[in-house]
Amino acid sequence: MESKTNSGSIETVIKESRSFKPSTTFIAQAHINDPAHYERLWQASQENPENFWEQQALSLDWTEKWKRVHEWNEPFSKWFTGGKLNVSVNCLDRHLSRHGNKKAFIWEGEDGTVTTLTYRELHQKVCQLANALEKKLGLKAGDTASIYMPLIPEAIIAMLACARIGVAHSIVFAGFSSNSLRDRILDAECKVVFAADVGYRRGQALDLKKTVREAVQECPTVKATLLLRRDKQTALVSQELDWNAFIEGQSSIHVPQSFDSEQPLFFLYTSGTTGKPKGIVHSSGGYLTGVTTTAKWIFDLKDSDIYWCTADIGWITGHSYVVYGLLANAATSVIYEGAPMHPHPGRIWEIIDKHKVTILYTAPTAIRSFMRSGDEHPKRFQLDSLRLLGSVGEPINPEAWMWYFELIGKKKCPIVDTWWQTETGSILISPIPGVTTLKPGSATRPFPGIIVDVVNDEGHSCKPNEGGYLVIKNPWPSMLRTIHKDPERFKEQYWSKFKGVYFTGDGAHKDEQGYFWIKGRVDDVINVSGHRLGTMEIESALVSHPRVAEAAVVGRPDELKGQGIVAFVTPRDSREKLDIHSLSRELKAHVVNEIGALARPDEIKFTKTLPKTRSGKIMRRLLKDLAAGKQVSGDTTTLENPGLVELIES
Ligand code: WT7
């Protein structure tokens, strides 16, 4: 990379908006490396996005060609209607003749164990499982199944087997509590649950079967739990089937059916501004078109690449850029079950050297913790196989960007800062590494075929550098189709704030060169380590505790995690003396039990009352300031109790 300025201090980076052009070596090998040509393509795609996406869809294998590229019944979109395909065939079968012996996945356990799966082996295992699901459990297209598993090959085999037979999967991150899992299974009416008895992380075995058993007990739709027994001691309980016995003797040939382009491929639950998680519904043809194209262009994928995305399959990043987008491109991926800094702080760098990883895709929160653990750790490793770096999940601060660029990428790897959401399915704003000049902290420009803007409260385009709301102005193939069982909420949440455009929930500004700078959420959603949590969801968990009268949850800036969770709680009057330390511990444990460890509040502040407006709305802005340790700012004259948030101290 060639830097435009010479000075290296962070202040200079921010003040002078330092920018980086791709290096000549990177350009020389990149798929897309002619800026003028790319600019023409980009302009044309802005004028006619459907044409751009139709061209991309042609790269997939369809058994029947679509009749229409796009049907828009605002805000409901259908893409490639009339077209038929099988997603698992596109990820596996079509690669077998050329890439049968190529590795699809290199799995590494925390203890250093390695298992690899070639495209042929993966295909056989998916076929076996698909056969067993159809023959033994009678699963068929339109059914749903839940997956609650650690990051191991079987979890991916389960995803692809579902896709192969038209069953929509709903993966629940194996860190959510049994209540969360139960609610998601019930909402999606899953017939089968794929599970593992244990997961391994930070040297410990996590008891996943306990969570699954508690959840499934209250789920009448579940016919069977398919349990992968990793620990020899694990015994089966009623309703559970042993995974290996289940697939034993099944043929590794499975003749696939084709499904409609709009067949739901999966549901993925994510937090919103109300207490109840939303089941985001993704399609088959449009989704696969989006993830396949973006993976190829943004990661500049080559046959020789060893790609590593550190996300878990429980999140959208794992769905799109560990599984579907990568397999559809016949790529080789590393997957790792374990913590990136365990058993030593250089574990991630060790894995990169060991497998000669060429592309690393990770989150700013992880980058900041690597930074904090000390430069000596990455310096112990070569890291010379790397040629491209990626970032996702939250805004990356220029300091972390520069560290990633200099220390990990050795100033020769472009960084693709990719903006997208669970709902968008695929990346919508990102550099194209062989042509885009990078600016640390900016996700740069929209992907071709995506029309993005920043608008003010009235929905008018903001001026350059003026802050506003980030919106997407045209439908795109991989966008969510609806919220499962709740089309009204889908309309309300995304399509009602501004007429005819998709509201992202993010604040942003666009600079003079059309680069987007994303600030973060403007709604009641907090982003902790790149994972989205609704404040209302945590509040409902808190008020379900008998000693809580009222609760308000806000995010506060956190150097490592992006945002931390602060809860303001008004306890119920009780005869017992209030021991705020023990109640605080109890309430944190309660939230973990209700939602999962990722929702654990960092701090609970007890208050005599919560600040409210005269109409009874909690003054969140004020609480946010308080949580961040700021002077309470702005207008508090509408407060019911001006100036009064009386904290109960110990
Ligand atoms: C929210 C979506 C997309 C996969 C991971 C998170 C924030 C995501 C970036 C980025 C700034 C980002 C946004 C977005 N976000 N990527 N590159 N720069 N912010 O998925 O849980 O659906 O969260 O993550 O606030 O709305 P998600």
Side-chain angles (χ1 to χ4, degrees):
M1 304 295 274
E2 290 146 16
S3 144
K4 277 194 185 165
T5 57
N6 298 317
S7 164
S9 82
I10 292 306
E11 290 70 40
T12 334
V13 172
I14 299 162
K15 280 200 206 110
E16 295 183 9
S17 346
R18 195 170 168 175
S19 58
F20 298 89
K21 287 195 169 137
S23 68
T24 39
T25 14
F26 192 90
I27 293 173
Q29 56 79 64
H31 283 305
I32 299 171
N33 60 4
D34 176 349
H37 179 256
Y38 178 72
E39 196 55 33
R40 280 196 300 279
L41 178 152
W42 189 85
Q43 283 299 344
S45 83
Q46 299 287 296
E47 274 142 39
N48 191 344
E50 291 183 12
N51 183 44
F52 172 79
W53 289 116
E54 178 165 34
Q55 292 308 310
Q56 305 315 312
L58 291 170
S59 75
L60 299 179
D61 270 10
W62 299 78
T63 52
E64 250 171 72
K65 178 104 191 269
W66 52 88
K67 298 203 169 53
R68 286 184 66 181
V69 175
H70 182 219
E71 276 178 42
W72 181 226
N73 175 15
E74 191 188 322
F76 298 97
S77 226
K78 286 185 182 171
W79 286 83
F80 312 118
T81 46
K84 283 190 189 269
L85 81 171
N86 183 299
V87 169
S88 110
V89 168
N90 274 279
C91 290
L92 302 169
D93 308 44
R94 68 168 173 154
H95 304 319
L96 293 181
S97 58
R98 278 185 55 213
H99 300 296
N101 295 326
K102 185 177 174 178
K103 287 171 193 156
F105 289 108
I106 304 169
W107 175 84
E108 170 131 359
E110 207 173 51
D111 66 359
T113 314
V114 174
T115 312
T116 61
L117 273 176
T118 63
Y119 273 88
R120 183 161 297 110
E121 289 162 343
L122 183 59
H123 175 255
Q124 288 173 347
K125 287 183 188 288
V126 168
C127 288
Q128 275 183 333
L129 183 57
N131 278 323
L133 291 171
E134 283 181 335
K135 292 189 185 127
K136 293 189 170 174
L137 292 176
L139 284 198
K140 55 181 189 326
D143 288 341
T144 50
S146 181
I147 301 178
Y148 189 83
M149 296 180 78
L151 185 46
I152 49 176
E154 285 81 356
I156 296 172
I157 293 167
M159 293 168 79
L160 294 164
C162 287
R164 194 165 187 92
I165 60 175
V167 168
H169 55 70
S170 160
I171 307 186
V172 179
F173 173 64
F176 277 109
S177 68
S178 61
N179 287 349
S180 297
L181 175 60
R182 175 201 60 206
D183 292 348
R184 286 158 175 75
I185 295 175
L186 287 174
D187 190 74
E189 298 176 53
C190 298
K191 292 201 172 151
V192 173
V193 178
F194 296 91
D197 54 352
V198 287
Y200 298 103
R201 203 175 163 89
R202 293 204 175 83
Q204 300 201 325
L206 307 169
D207 191 356
L208 306 179
K209 63 181 180 312
K210 179 168 176 279
T211 313
V212 174
R213 284 171 185 170
E214 280 171 15
V216 164
Q217 250 176 17
E218 296 171 53
C219 298
T221 56
V222 174
K223 289 204 240 168
T225 300
L226 219 58
L227 190 69
L228 182 76
R229 291 192 282 177
R230 308 176 80 193
D231 177 350
K232 302 268 173 310
Q233 309 295 315
T234 302
L236 297 173
V237 302
S238 63
Q239 254 200 353
E240 285 175 357
L241 302 173
D242 175 69
W243 189 298
N244 291 320
F246 184 72
I247 55 174
E248 205 180 281
Q250 293 294 320
S251 164
S252 55
I253 296 167
H254 175 272
V255 182
Q257 257 179 281
S258 294
F259 302 105
D260 196 274
S261 176
E262 282 298 313
Q263 170 90 9
L265 179 62
F266 63 86
F267 302 161
L268 184 57
Y269 287 83
T270 189
S271 300
T273 46
T274 67
K276 196 173 166 282
K278 335 175 244 197
I280 302 299
V281 181
H282 278 293
S283 72
S284 296
Y287 172 80
L288 198 64
T289 302
V291 297
T292 308
T293 309
T294 48
K296 173 146 190 192
W297 293 32
I298 294 167
F299 300 121
D300 187 41
L301 288 175
K302 309 281 159 46
D303 235 6
S304 51
D305 275 314
I306 310 283
Y307 165 96
W308 184 17
C309 165
T310 60
D312 188 272
I313 46 153
W315 312 111
I316 190 68
T317 309
H319 286 64
S320 301
Y321 300 109
V322 174
V323 182
Y324 293 112
L326 277 289
L327 292 176
N329 278 296
T332 297
S333 287
V334 168
I335 47 175
Y336 172 60
E337 180 193 9
M341 304 224 289
H342 193 90
H344 60 82
R347 183 73 172 114
I348 180 168
W349 319 121
E350 179 182 63
I351 296 175
I352 289 172
D353 275 5
K354 179 169 172 185
H355 299 295
K356 308 237 173 311
V357 170
T358 59
I359 304 168
L360 177 68
Y361 190 33
T362 192
T365 187
I367 298 168
R368 288 190 293 265
S369 38
F370 301 139
M371 240 172 115
R372 183 174 282 193
S373 76
D375 294 357
E376 65 273 24
H377 303 296
K379 281 186 174 157
R380 278 176 32 229
F381 298 92
Q382 301 296 321
L383 306 181
D384 52 355
S385 53
L386 288 171
R387 65 176 193 89
L388 179 63
L389 302 172
S391 170
V392 59
E394 48 178 318
I396 180 165
N397 46 315
E399 292 87 336
W401 197 102
M402 287 308 297
W403 184 87
Y404 198 29
F405 183 67
E406 290 178 344
L407 225 85
I408 307 307
K410 318 272 198 237
K411 302 187 188 168
K412 67 178 170 58
C413 306
I415 296 178
V416 287
D417 174 359
T418 60
W419 179 90
W420 58 299
Q421 310 178 299
T422 304
E423 291 87 343
T424 68
S426 60
I427 298 168
L428 299 196
I429 308 179
S430 167
I432 300 294
V435 291
T436 309
T437 296
L438 306 174
K439 298 187 190 181
S442 169
T444 77
R445 293 170 72 206
F447 194 78
I450 305 294
I451 303 171
V452 185
D453 201 4
V454 176
V455 299
N456 61 20
D457 276 307
E458 285 75 51
H460 302 311
S461 294
C462 290
K463 293 198 233 19
N465 297 320
E466 187 192 337
Y469 304 105
L470 186 73
V471 297
I472 318 295
K473 292 188 138 171
N474 65 315
W476 63 101
S478 68
M479 73 181 228
L480 78 164
R481 294 302 189 256
T482 187
I483 292 174
H484 184 54
K485 289 185 183 158
D486 207 348
E488 283 309 312
R489 191 173 174 199
F490 167 70
K491 281 191 198 166
E492 198 338 270
Q493 189 98 56
Y494 307 105
W495 303 92
S496 68
K497 192 166 169 76
F498 303 109
K499 193 155 172 22
V501 303
Y502 172 89
F503 174 55
T504 63
D506 279 1
H509 73 265
K510 190 161 93 165
D511 68 17
E512 296 85 354
Q513 287 164 312
Y515 277 48
F516 287 83
W517 300 77
I518 319 291
K519 295 203 187 76
R521 307 291 305 191
V522 292
D523 51 13
D524 293 329
V525 167
I526 37 189
N527 186 328
V528 181
S529 302
H531 302 308
R532 206 198 300 184
L533 288 160
T535 52
M536 286 274 282
E537 208 179 332
I538 308 173
E539 285 162 11
S540 355
L542 284 166
V543 296
S544 72
H545 188 280
R547 296 211 48 196
V548 175
E550 265 195 314
V553 169
V554 295
R556 74 163 168 217
D558 183 293
E559 264 192 31
L560 220 53
K561 299 190 284 187
Q563 282 189 295
I565 304 170
V566 179
F568 290 85
V569 167
T570 310
R572 265 185 211 287
D573 282 335
S574 98
R575 261 172 244 128
E576 287 166 55
K577 187 178 163 328
L578 182 68
D579 173 351
I580 65 171
H581 296 295
S582 80
L583 185 55
S584 173
R585 268 196 306 278
E586 194 176 318
L587 292 180
K588 286 180 187 176
H590 180 68
V591 172
V592 171
N593 192 45
E594 289 294 307
I595 305 174
L598 66 166
R600 183 199 307 272
D602 293 284
E603 193 185 345
I604 298 187
K605 290 180 187 283
F606 293 96
T607 64
K608 291 193 177 151
T609 53
L610 290 176
K612 289 190 188 136
T613 62
R614 291 201 181 97
S615 62
K617 264 189 90 164
I618 293 174
M619 298 279 286
R620 286 176 186 280
R621 178 177 47 77
L622 192 149
L623 291 178
K624 268 188 203 162
D625 285 352
L626 266 179
K630 280 196 227 158
Q631 284 291 318
V632 172
S633 63
D635 183 15
T636 54
T637 51
T638 53
L639 269 184
E640 172 68 18
N641 254 338
L644 191 124
V645 187
E646 221 182 311
L647 293 184
I648 306 173
E649 311 283 352
S650 57

